[in-house]
Amino acid sequence: MSAEEITKKKSGKGTHVLGSVWKVIANIVTVFLSLVVILPLVVLFLNSFKTKGDSNTMSLTLPKTWQPQNYVVVMKQGKLVSSFCNSLLYSLCSVVIIIILVAAAAYVISRNRKGTNKFLYYFIVSGIAMPINNVALMKVMQVTHLVNTRPGIILLYVAVNIPLSLFLAYGFIGTIPRDIDEAAIIDGCSPWRLFISVILPLLVPMMATLFVLNFMAIWNDFTMPLYYLNKSTKWPMTLAVYNFFGAFENSWNLVSADIILTIVPVLLVFIVGQKYIVGGMSSGAVKG
Amino acid sequence: MDRKKIYPWWFAVPAAAIFFLLCLLPGLLGIGYSFTDWNSFTEKINFVGLQNYQKIFSGHSEYLSYISNTILFTVATTITKTILGLLMALLLTRPFIRLRNVHRMIIFSPQVMSFLVVGLVFQSMLHPTTGFVNNFLRSIGLGSLAQNWLTDLHFVWPSVIAVDTWKGMGYIMMVIIAGLTSIAPEYYEAASMDGANFWQQFQHVTLPLLRPVIVNVTVLNITYGLRVFDMIYALTNGGPGNATGVINTAVYKLFSTGDYAMGTTLSSVLFFFMLALLYFILRSMENKEVEA
């Protein structure tokens, strides 16, 4: 064996040892990062089972006595059942409308990027930059009789979330080959049928992504109902929590339980949809 | 084939109509109001030209500090979230990390909370006497590091940026992971055959192919940062004093005191700012498409 070969072997072994040390360190770093991120949530969870006195300091200790009844109190006092139904209604309706309208619009705009379509694209996408002007919007809502109504808040969420959704969908549709359309047309498909029975099924992953992203955004929104819904019976969960916090500021055990209950539904949507969210974003993101 | 017939443009009309009525129209009305003296105390609305804009950009107006705070927040959070998101995405796509998917879920999880909730939670966590952070520091003997995180001028910005990073980096990480997994493994095989080490592979394969994703992520972060409201409102409400006041918290205050003209003007400044930004981004993306 030549000297050169020996050093090569040695250094090879060296990097192997170094490699496994690096692997252990990387694993430790990962666990540490996850702990840092999850700590506030664990504190919140533990405190939701404590007594009022114990929860004052929001510490990372186990409850002396577990108080699951906190959750029952919150459900009753916080009117969580009705606000949960409101949140679900607003989120689902808006998201479904957004998906249908955006899929149709993104499809024609992305396929034929000329004239009216090009104008429509920039027209709508400019909305990404639009800060919501609440005073002017209030005027429009009053004139159209949409203020303080459920359809009003749903349409508002649709309008505000269309631009970014269209932007993402536009990138995705570009990845579907045009040959499919041409084949279908040659086979005698009408444009309407082409869209419904050929294109729409191909858009399912993109629509799932839009579903998850918009659902999370709308479920968590707090400013729109603050301005445009004045009746507590129409409030979604975020506003109920805000109000609950105002009334029970010193009962962090109850506030914690309240917060945990609002996180759960959207966490479930995310867990179910996370496969799509990652896939949809990559096709939108890489294509641009 | 006639594209106009296969792809009827009216498919786009319902989306455009709703967007126009409840998003663009109020925005344009707002810009119109920014040239008036409209407030809740006078009956008549008078045209005053550029007077409101002059007020904002003249000498030492407090409005300039709101604008600079907004830019500070945007730049700082864009940098922290993008860098941390990228590092974590690289870490959590390594095959030897145990329970990768669990870690991804955990790091993403703050994303499912509303900003309101995040604000409330961290107000309690960062409370100087009863908060978790200071109590934790004291319990491990580092009590000297305990601070008034949200009321001390030196610590309020780092705290706000840290909280926002805590919430947002998981999302950025997920987008970058999506980008990383869409890079074909052949590139890495070829690179390691040529003897490229990890760093060289990162520099010459990962980074160039990831560029569009990082551009997208940066756009998302910047547009979010410029428009931030809930986060600051719930966490510091612009305090202490006006130290963390941003454009949208100022707009909110102006509206609640009835100064609609000034509020819409400040809102319009933000709009022009974002429109210019969007224009450059769309332009640069069109150029990319031509190349490809």
Side-chain angles (χ1 to χ4, degrees):
Chain A
M1 223 184 267
S2 73
E4 205 187 329
E5 272 172 358
I6 292 169
T7 39
K8 222 180 185 178
K9 241 192 168 169
K10 263 189 184 167
S11 73
K13 205 178 176 189
T15 49
H16 185 71
V17 174
L18 209 69
S20 50
V21 170
W22 150 242
K23 281 176 194 173
V24 173
I25 292 173
N27 271 297
I28 293 170
V29 169
T30 313
V31 171
F32 177 75
L33 283 172
S34 287
L35 279 180
V36 170
V37 172
I38 209 170
L39 214 54
L41 296 172
V42 174
V43 172
L44 208 59
F45 183 75
L46 290 176
N47 280 277
S48 73
F49 288 100
K50 289 181 184 176
T51 58
K52 185 181 168 185
D54 281 351
S55 71
N56 272 345
T57 52
M58 290 295 275
S59 57
L60 189 65
T61 47
L62 289 177
K64 281 179 209 126
T65 50
W66 290 78
Q67 310 274 332
Q69 61 269 37
N70 286 347
Y71 282 86
V72 182
V73 174
V74 166
M75 298 269 258
K76 281 188 189 144
Q77 304 251 13
K79 294 177 188 157
L80 276 194
V81 178
S82 82
S83 58
F84 174 85
C85 294
N86 283 333
S87 278
L88 202 64
L89 179 80
Y90 303 154
S91 310
L92 281 182
C93 290
S94 329
V95 168
V96 168
I97 299 174
I98 290 170
I99 290 175
I100 295 170
L101 298 189
V102 163
Y107 166 64
V108 291
I109 290 175
S110 160
R111 283 302 202 230
N112 182 12
R113 304 182 179 188
K114 290 198 183 79
T116 325
N117 286 353
K118 195 172 181 185
F119 169 75
L120 279 178
Y121 178 67
Y122 286 106
F123 176 75
I124 299 177
V125 169
S126 75
I128 296 177
M130 191 79 68
I132 295 157
N133 193 312
N134 284 306
V135 174
L137 182 55
M138 183 57 98
K139 283 219 152 182
V140 175
M141 297 283 281
Q142 279 165 348
V143 170
T144 51
H145 298 289
L146 288 171
V147 75
N148 292 325
T149 64
R150 292 196 166 101
I153 200 96
I154 291 170
L155 286 178
L156 196 52
Y157 280 131
V158 172
V160 172
N161 288 296
I162 277 178
L164 192 64
S165 302
L166 183 83
F167 179 71
L168 291 173
Y170 182 82
F172 182 90
I173 288 170
T175 63
I176 298 173
R178 227 178 253 271
D179 310 349
I180 293 178
D181 310 8
E182 280 162 19
I185 290 290
I186 290 167
D187 288 347
C189 237
S190 69
W192 189 237
R193 256 202 72 193
L194 167 67
F195 176 66
I196 300 277
S197 46
V198 180
I199 300 296
L200 222 45
L202 296 172
L203 296 185
V204 167
M206 185 269 305
M207 294 196 287
T209 308
L210 292 186
F211 185 96
V212 179
L213 289 179
N214 283 310
F215 186 90
M216 291 201 301
I218 296 170
W219 186 277
N220 283 334
D221 179 70
F222 146 75
T223 36
M224 294 295 190
L226 186 67
Y227 282 108
Y228 304 107
L229 287 178
N230 59 2
K231 261 200 187 150
S232 68
T233 51
K234 290 178 183 168
W235 281 353
M237 272 181 124
T238 40
L239 213 52
V241 172
Y242 186 62
N243 211 42
F244 191 82
F245 179 75
F248 292 87
E249 208 170 338
N250 297 317
S251 313
W252 263 94
N253 54 339
L254 298 181
V255 173
S256 301
D258 200 49
I259 290 174
I260 295 284
L261 284 175
T262 57
I263 299 175
V264 171
V266 70
L267 193 63
L268 286 178
V269 169
F270 173 70
I271 292 172
V272 173
Q274 68 156 332
K275 187 175 78 187
Y276 293 104
I277 204 175
V278 175
M281 279 195 293
S282 76
S283 51
V286 179
K287 251 302 225 178
Chain B
M1 256 177 282
D2 187 357
R3 281 193 186 171
K4 278 187 184 164
K5 277 189 189 148
I6 309 177
Y7 311 116
W9 61 273
W10 50 264
F11 270 36
V13 168
I18 293 186
F19 163 73
F20 175 77
L21 183 67
L22 294 177
C23 194
L24 191 64
L25 183 66
L28 296 177
L29 275 177
I31 293 172
Y33 287 131
S34 73
F35 300 107
T36 69
D37 64 355
W38 185 30
N39 64 53
S40 58
F41 311 110
T42 49
E43 280 290 304
K44 211 166 156 260
I45 300 175
N46 299 306
F47 179 79
V48 295
L50 288 172
Q51 201 183 301
N52 295 326
Y53 290 90
Q54 277 167 351
K55 246 190 237 168
I56 288 176
F57 289 105
S58 69
H60 309 284
S61 79
E62 56 174 328
Y63 303 112
L64 285 178
S65 78
Y66 296 129
I67 294 174
S68 63
N69 282 347
T70 307
I71 295 173
L72 169 71
F73 177 85
T74 306
V75 172
T77 55
T78 300
I79 292 174
T80 54
K81 283 190 280 192
T82 309
I83 291 179
L84 281 173
L86 178 64
L87 289 178
M88 278 188 288
L90 287 171
L91 195 61
L92 289 174
T93 44
R94 297 283 106 195
F96 53 78
I97 298 290
R98 281 159 208 276
L99 301 171
R100 275 188 302 170
N101 285 332
V102 177
H103 288 299
R104 285 180 192 180
M105 268 298 300
I106 289 174
I107 290 169
F108 185 88
S109 63
Q111 188 62 37
V112 304
M113 300 167 80
S114 70
F115 282 104
L116 177 78
V117 163
V118 170
L120 295 179
V121 169
F122 275 90
Q123 248 188 23
S124 106
M125 299 274 165
L126 297 173
H127 192 279
T129 49
T130 60
F132 169 74
V133 173
N134 280 354
N135 279 333
F136 180 74
L137 287 172
R138 287 184 200 112
S139 71
I140 56 169
L142 291 171
S144 56
L145 292 179
Q147 302 294 344
N148 295 328
W149 300 106
L150 294 173
T151 48
D152 186 315
L153 280 178
H154 294 100
F155 293 102
V156 66
W157 268 118
S159 305
V160 168
I161 291 162
V163 173
D164 191 63
T165 305
W166 175 82
K167 173 159 164 55
M169 66 185 177
Y171 180 79
I172 302 306
M173 176 196 76
M174 279 295 194
V175 180
I176 296 178
I177 286 178
L180 283 174
T181 46
S182 67
I183 297 175
E186 286 80 19
Y187 289 110
Y188 292 106
E189 279 162 26
S192 55
M193 288 243 250
D194 291 343
N197 61 30
F198 176 76
W199 174 243
Q200 286 166 328
Q201 288 187 16
F202 174 72
Q203 235 185 328
H204 299 291
V205 180
T206 314
L207 216 47
L209 288 173
L210 212 54
R211 223 189 61 128
V213 178
I214 291 178
V215 170
N216 261 20
V217 160
T218 309
V219 174
L220 280 177
N221 279 332
I222 292 175
T223 52
Y224 157 75
L226 290 177
R227 267 195 295 198
V228 67
F229 171 70
D230 298 24
M231 176 77 200
I232 303 278
Y233 176 74
L235 196 59
T236 65
N237 197 11
N242 279 335
T244 55
V246 290
I247 292 179
N248 273 335
T249 57
V251 170
Y252 180 79
K253 271 187 199 154
L254 285 167
F255 280 164
S256 51
T257 56
D259 194 348
Y260 303 143
M262 214 53 207
T264 51
T265 310
L266 207 52
S267 212
S268 304
V269 169
L270 180 62
F271 171 66
F272 293 129
F273 216 51
M274 298 206 37
L275 203 62
L277 193 75
L278 193 71
Y279 174 77
F280 282 114
I281 293 159
L282 288 176
R283 273 285 296 271
S284 69
M285 282 173 52
E286 274 201 344
N287 293 343
K288 246 188 331 195
E289 254 170 52
V290 175
E291 279 166 41

